[in-house]
Amino acid sequence: MTTPTNKNDPSSSKVANSSDGLRNRANEQGRPQSQQWSRLLVLCIAVALGGVVTARALCPDVAWLSRQHIDLLCSVPSSLLNGWHAAPNTMSNGTHEFRETMILISVDGLRQEYLERGLTPHLLEMSKTGLRADYLNPIFPTLTFPNHWTLMTGLWAESHGLVANKIFDPATKKVWLPTKKESFEPEWWFGEPMWETAQKAGLKTADIMWPGPRTSQSGATPTYSVPFNFSYPIDAKLDRILEWMDMPIEERPQLITMYEPSLDNSGHETGPHSLRTNQTLAKIDSWAGNLTASLQARNLSDIVNVVILSDHGMADTSAPELIYMDEILGEDFVTIEYIDGWPSMGLHLFPEANASRILEKLYAAEDPTKFEVFTRETMPARRHYANNPRIAPIFITPHLGYALTTTVLNGTEISVGNHGWDNIYPDLRAVFLTQGPFAERMKTKAAAYASGSPRSDSDLWQSTKGSGSDGYVMTNFNNIEIYNLAMHMLGIQDRAASNNGTVGFWDAYV
């Protein structure tokens, strides 16, 4: 990408006029014009690095240049050389230089169906000026922390270690809970987050409250960071993003990540169909409109990639059928050392427990229409949820509409809206939409297919009606692909860490 010439910079016109003179003199001496420009570039670099003596050594016949021209080259080499280096990586919004940038926003609990309620005109407009996916498929379990760390690393839960919102580590006997400060120590979080990869590539990064550690296992931290705070207003988050975007290019982050929990809170406390949930949804949509307008006002729509997505959906769990696990297991229930994995039940057993008898009781009570019992060996492969010691050796998963509990709790742990069940349920589907230069590249390639160009990726798009009501709609995909999307948007895909994303997934789109 070529850096636009600053027409208001007198030195730019001075260089242009002088180079015209050099070109004319060269042509008068019979040299090909392309050869003279190549020699001029070498000369500029030589002057910048070593002065006129070095220039004459590299170009012994430099005598055809006048002393006036040599003096001119000596007076502007740094700007000329900097522009030559920066050109492939910078863009101008008309007043300032920018590098490839991505703003990644997660709206917790934004389920795919919410976009069909007539309450999200700005999000829908964003998806039409850009594009969206039919839906984004969360990993199992459909819980906040496992999915956010998958979005950040491109790893399944069994690979990154955040296997639930409540975890028992049998090796250390430690318990992970989101309310414990020590749960955010790096030892719990495996994988390389995208902000670490970006910084390794020389980019600056910024984060607002993304669910995860502030420091990776290698000791890396985002360049700028706002710690988790439930009371941090969403409008203040926009202000902070714009402050970062308005920084000088040397200080400005190229990757900005942000987390917003208010919609998930509304869904849990009042259910996915409540007035409060709809009001929160409308507020978030208005916020998205303000973000888009703010970027347009800065003439950044063709420079900054914006991605808005969610970690999972939200289901109505106001009247589940309760299944009492202590009644099923009887006296063996007290031999369970720890239960984690809610709304599933992961059973970690004491050494003296009779695992075979416990499994027999569970299999005898199992009703595949209500709940299923798995071991690590029998866990469905599509879940990628077996190869980690933090995953309990006996794992019971209820179907949506059912809840596992005990006679003591009697279902009191279940709110009217929830998630965490299998990712096959439509209510738990997440959202993905994006706009910016990367989306335009995807649409350009999709349009070539729609116009009849020979292609083999018809399964990539659900709709390519650029002027229709649907716009460009990708076929649903797994959220493990988001890490590699960030690498592509930032132009550092060759620096990506090892992850579970599909090799070549985004290459097929662009």
Side-chain angles (χ1 to χ4, degrees):
M1 189 175 302
T2 303
T3 304
T5 301
N6 186 347
K7 297 180 180 179
N8 297 320
D9 183 355
S11 66
S12 296
S13 60
K14 185 177 181 181
V15 172
N17 293 336
S18 299
S19 62
D20 285 343
L22 296 178
R23 180 183 59 202
N24 292 337
R25 179 173 294 197
N27 288 340
E28 289 172 3
Q29 296 187 13
R31 287 184 172 86
Q33 181 175 330
S34 60
Q35 178 183 348
Q36 286 307 318
W37 280 113
S38 297
R39 295 171 64 79
L40 178 60
L41 179 59
V42 172
L43 182 66
C44 291
I45 297 170
V47 171
L49 296 177
V52 177
V53 174
T54 301
R56 291 186 181 278
L58 289 176
C59 301
D61 57 346
V62 78
W64 57 269
L65 289 172
S66 71
R67 169 54 58 183
Q68 177 185 1
H69 293 138
I70 292 291
D71 291 343
L72 175 62
L73 289 171
C74 288
S75 68
V76 296
S78 59
S79 61
L80 189 58
L81 187 60
N82 288 342
W84 179 65
H85 277 300
N89 299 312
T90 61
M91 299 165 269
S92 175
N93 71 340
T95 59
H96 297 84
E97 292 297 303
F98 285 81
R99 299 189 179 98
E100 294 158 307
T101 301
M102 177 187 187
I103 300 175
L104 174 62
I105 298 162
S106 172
V107 181
D108 197 336
L110 175 59
R111 87 180 195 183
Q112 183 267 345
E113 177 271 336
Y114 285 176
L115 299 183
E116 302 170 6
R117 296 188 175 185
L119 300 171
T120 55
H122 296 101
L123 289 173
L124 290 176
E125 179 63 22
M126 180 179 175
S127 74
K128 291 174 184 176
T129 58
L131 58 88
R132 65 181 174 90
D134 182 29
Y135 60 89
L136 185 64
N137 198 36
I139 64 162
F140 176 85
T142 54
L143 295 168
T144 295
F145 285 93
N147 274 277
H148 273 93
W149 204 233
T150 289
L151 292 166
M152 191 55 56
T153 63
L155 298 174
W156 301 109
E158 67 178 3
S159 298
H160 64 53
L162 262 291
V163 298
N165 279 358
K166 178 182 179 183
I167 307 167
F168 176 74
D169 190 325
T172 63
K173 303 299 182 181
K174 293 181 180 179
V175 174
W176 189 97
L177 290 171
T179 54
K180 297 172 64 175
K181 182 179 179 180
E182 54 268 32
S183 292
F184 295 88
E185 293 298 322
E187 66 182 275
W188 287 97
W189 309 77
F190 295 100
E192 182 173 293
M194 61 177 67
W195 45 260
E196 179 176 0
T197 308
Q199 289 179 187
K200 286 181 176 179
L203 282 60
K204 288 183 168 58
T205 65
D207 173 67
I208 301 176
M209 291 174 45
W210 195 273
R214 297 301 91 189
T215 304
S216 71
Q217 291 195 350
S218 69
T221 60
T223 311
Y224 310 104
S225 181
V226 175
F228 198 93
N229 181 356
F230 266 119
S231 63
Y232 196 75
I234 189 172
D235 290 335
K237 295 175 184 177
L238 177 57
D239 292 340
R240 183 60 63 91
I241 289 173
L242 296 177
E243 287 173 10
W244 285 328
M245 292 305 303
D246 292 340
M247 283 180 166
I249 189 170
E250 298 82 6
E251 302 173 17
R252 186 187 308 130
Q254 288 177 249
L255 172 65
I256 298 174
T257 55
M258 189 201 102
Y259 170 71
E260 175 52 38
S262 59
L263 187 61
D264 185 69
N265 295 341
S266 296
H268 279 299
E269 295 173 12
T270 62
H273 302 289
S274 69
L275 174 62
R276 177 182 158 188
T277 293
N278 285 340
Q279 290 173 335
T280 305
L281 176 63
K283 181 177 180 180
I284 288 172
D285 179 75
S286 177
W287 183 92
N290 291 336
L291 170 65
T292 299
S294 298
L295 294 176
Q296 289 174 342
R298 289 163 171 78
N299 199 24
L300 294 175
S301 300
D302 297 329
I303 294 176
V304 176
N305 295 291
V306 178
V307 176
I308 296 181
L309 47 68
S310 55
D311 50 350
H312 50 68
M314 182 68 67
D316 184 341
T317 53
S318 57
E321 180 177 327
L322 302 180
I323 301 169
Y324 296 94
M325 301 309 298
D326 54 338
E327 292 184 350
I328 292 174
L329 293 178
E331 62 184 13
D332 286 309
F333 189 76
V334 298
T335 66
I336 298 172
E337 182 177 10
Y338 200 83
I339 297 175
D340 62 12
W342 193 95
S344 298
M345 274 194 176
L347 308 185
H348 298 268
L349 308 180
F350 282 115
E352 63 270 21
N354 189 326
S356 297
R357 188 169 64 206
I358 288 173
L359 278 171
E360 288 176 5
K361 289 181 177 181
L362 290 172
Y363 288 143
E366 183 180 33
D367 181 344
T369 66
K370 297 181 179 181
F371 73 94
E372 296 177 89
V373 180
F374 300 101
T375 64
R376 293 183 188 136
E377 292 73 28
T378 62
M379 184 70 71
R382 64 176 177 81
R383 290 181 174 172
H384 300 273
Y385 198 76
N387 299 316
N388 193 298
R390 294 177 184 169
I391 298 170
I394 299 175
F395 206 83
I396 311 160
T397 59
H399 288 282
L400 195 58
Y402 299 88
L404 309 178
T405 188
T406 66
T407 53
V408 174
L409 293 174
N410 197 31
T412 56
E413 72 274 37
I414 303 164
S415 56
V416 296
N418 242 308
H419 49 86
W421 284 259
D422 202 346
N423 56 5
I424 62 174
Y425 295 107
D427 286 353
L428 300 179
R429 291 172 178 170
V431 165
F432 171 87
L433 55 92
T434 182
Q435 67 178 14
F438 193 82
E440 292 307 309
R441 289 171 58 196
M442 292 176 65
K443 288 158 63 175
T444 298
K445 191 170 183 179
Y449 168 73
S451 65
S453 298
R455 293 166 59 90
S456 59
D457 58 1
S458 58
D459 59 333
L460 301 181
W461 293 95
Q462 181 168 305
S463 170
T464 54
K465 299 177 182 178
S467 59
S469 59
D470 291 335
Y472 284 81
V473 182
M474 299 171 63
T475 303
N476 67 82
F477 64 94
N478 292 324
N479 66 0
I480 57 168
E481 312 295 354
I482 297 299
Y483 171 88
N484 285 331
L485 172 63
M487 300 300 102
H488 276 75
M489 286 186 169
L490 296 171
I492 56 172
Q493 56 267 37
D494 60 329
R495 305 293 294 272
S498 178
N499 65 85
N500 296 134
T502 306
V503 175
F505 181 86
W506 295 105
D507 294 328
Y509 282 99
V510 295

